[in-house]
């Protein structure tokens, strides 16, 4: 490890989960920044953090911080990550990476100019069961991959003012939930050549359900389903000519999977054993990249995060979701 000193920007639920896993993993969490001193102090006391800052500007200016985890809602990711990069900090940005492709590309350019790491916190890709799945795929255990499917479906608040339903807060199932299965199929099959999407909108104009059908360069077909109004199986499968992989609920968190032959024989069963939530593995990856002087990882290169944001833009265009101000941006 590089011994990077971590700072956390914002103090919401996901920030607490990440802080807990950093502590579990023994990584060096030294600072937190919030919009109020009271919130920063409470978070610092909870996780035994030395520096509690009353503003994001104070956090990114802290000379004892090397890398910052941005955990604000999607619409703030670009501004907050840019602030950290401008102050010479490496950045791990919560997913979805930004609000749209243009913002993502801007962060990619700025990080490259400054010689800094900017990385999307798609923690699922770094979990042990996903590492093993990629090994099986690389070994050809499934033969030719024909289809990939995954859902991320939850029963979430219906209050129009809740961030999940408010367009001004980047609301909608796609960016909050759909990013998981879309990133998953991209991980397995690469970028799609064709994207088709349908969706259902709520009274605020945000999407509550989104389904995608994508064709990839190999000819394989992927399907994803996301919903914020109903809890589904939250399972995933990869089907090939020689075998399939069935990933159990909840597929995007530490879980189990089976490698199943066409006749139903279970050739391999994998059961995760992870301490904490599992968010520490992405932190390990970020530290390795910095240690090795790399600005791009092979698990999720920043160029891929930017391209995925472009696909999400296309999906939103197809289902009729636009965030405030986008009419002017897109012309």
């Amino acid at each position: 490890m590089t011994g990077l000193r971590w700072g956390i920007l914002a103090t919401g639920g996901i920030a607490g989960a990440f802080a807990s896993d950093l502590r579990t993993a023994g990584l060096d969490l030294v600072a937190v920044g919030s919009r109020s001193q009271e919130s920063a102090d409470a978070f610092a006391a909870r996780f035994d953090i030395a520096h509690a800052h009353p503003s994001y500007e104070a956090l990114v200016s802290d000379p004892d911080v090397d890398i910052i985890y941005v955990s604000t809602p999607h619409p703030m990711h670009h501004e907050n990550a840019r602030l950290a990069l401008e102050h010479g900090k490496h950045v791990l940005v919560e997913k979805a990476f930004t609000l749209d492709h243009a913002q993502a590309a801007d962060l990619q350019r700025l990080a490259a100019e400054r010689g800094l790491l900017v990385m999307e916190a798609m923690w699922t890709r770094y979990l042990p069961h996903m590492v093993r799945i990629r090994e099986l795929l690389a070994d050809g255990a499934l033969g030719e991959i024909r289809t990939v499917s995954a859902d991320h479906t939850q029963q979430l608040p219906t209050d129009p003012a809740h961030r999940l339903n408010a367009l001004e807060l980047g609301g909608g199932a796609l960016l909050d939930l759909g990013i998981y299965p879309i990133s998953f199929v991209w991980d397995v099959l690469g970028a799609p050549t064709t994207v088709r999407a349908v969706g259902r909108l709520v009274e605020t104009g945000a999407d509550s359900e989104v389904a995608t059908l994508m064709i990839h360069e190999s000819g394989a077909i992927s399907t994803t389903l996301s919903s914020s109004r109903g809890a589904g199986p939250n399972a995933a499968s990869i089907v090939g000519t020689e075998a399939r992989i069935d990933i159990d609920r909840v597929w995007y968190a530490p879980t189990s999977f089976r490698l199943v032959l066409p006749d139903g024989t279970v050739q391999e069963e994998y059961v995760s054993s992870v301490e904490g939530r599992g968010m520490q593995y992405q932190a390990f990856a970020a530290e390795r990249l910095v240690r090795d002087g790399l600005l791009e990882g092979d698990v999720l290169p920043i160029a891929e995060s930017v391209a995925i944001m472009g696909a999400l833009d296309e999906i939103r265009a197809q289902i009729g979701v636009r965030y405030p101000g986008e009419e002017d941006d897109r012309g």
Side-chain angles (χ1 to χ4, degrees), residues 36-289:
S36 75
Q37 188 68 65
E38 181 181 10
S39 177
D41 286 343
F43 194 92
R46 180 181 169 194
F47 295 105
D48 191 24
I49 299 172
H51 305 294
H53 297 291
S55 70
Y56 301 154
E57 290 79 7
L59 172 66
V60 300
S61 300
D62 189 334
D64 291 335
V65 174
D66 302 309
I67 184 168
I68 288 177
Y69 170 66
V70 173
S71 67
T72 45
H74 328 309
M76 292 80 167
H77 287 178
H78 175 250
E79 177 185 352
N80 298 153
R82 201 170 219 289
L83 182 68
L85 291 168
E86 288 171 344
H87 283 77
K89 310 301 186 186
H90 302 289
V91 186
L92 177 65
V93 185
E94 192 46 58
K95 43 68 193 112
F97 185 55
T98 53
L99 200 60
D100 58 27
H101 178 269
Q103 292 182 354
D106 180 63
L107 292 182
Q108 181 186 23
R109 285 192 300 268
L110 180 59
E113 289 170 4
R114 300 297 176 95
L116 296 167
L117 175 72
V118 61
M119 175 175 147
E120 182 182 9
M122 178 46 71
W123 63 295
T124 299
R125 290 210 185 187
Y126 302 92
L127 293 173
H129 74 282
M130 286 304 304
V131 173
R132 178 55 185 154
I133 286 171
R134 281 193 293 273
E135 290 173 350
L136 290 168
L137 297 178
D139 290 343
L142 273 65
E144 178 193 357
I145 298 175
R146 304 292 296 184
T147 65
V148 177
S149 63
D151 80 302
H152 189 176
T153 46
Q154 297 190 35
Q155 184 73 51
L156 297 175
T158 60
D159 179 1
H162 191 277
R163 69 170 186 85
L164 252 296
N165 306 305
L167 285 181
E168 65 273 17
L169 297 178
L174 181 65
L175 261 62
D176 203 85
L177 307 177
I179 180 63
Y180 281 91
I182 289 169
S183 185
F184 171 70
V185 299
W186 205 293
D187 187 16
V188 176
L189 296 173
T193 56
T194 303
V195 177
R196 296 287 182 266
V198 293
R200 182 180 184 182
L201 309 186
V202 295
E203 62 276 10
T204 62
D207 50 289
S208 57
E209 279 83 25
V210 181
T212 69
L213 186 152
M214 295 186 279
I215 301 173
H216 300 259
E217 189 173 356
S218 67
I221 294 174
S222 69
T223 59
T224 76
L225 176 63
S226 306
S227 175
S228 61
R229 298 294 174 96
N234 288 302
S237 66
I238 307 170
V239 179
T241 54
E242 302 299 324
R244 74 175 190 270
I245 291 174
D246 293 332
I247 312 176
D248 294 326
R249 175 183 179 88
V250 174
W251 70 265
Y252 51 83
T255 190
S256 54
F257 73 81
R258 288 164 306 286
L259 178 66
V260 185
L261 300 181
D263 65 1
T265 301
V266 176
Q267 190 171 60
E268 177 177 329
E269 184 164 7
Y270 183 97
V271 179
S272 291
S273 178
V274 171
E275 191 173 2
R277 192 168 187 252
M279 298 182 77
Q280 64 269 35
Y281 295 100
Q282 62 185 346
F284 292 150
E287 293 211 1
R288 283 193 296 269
L289 291 173

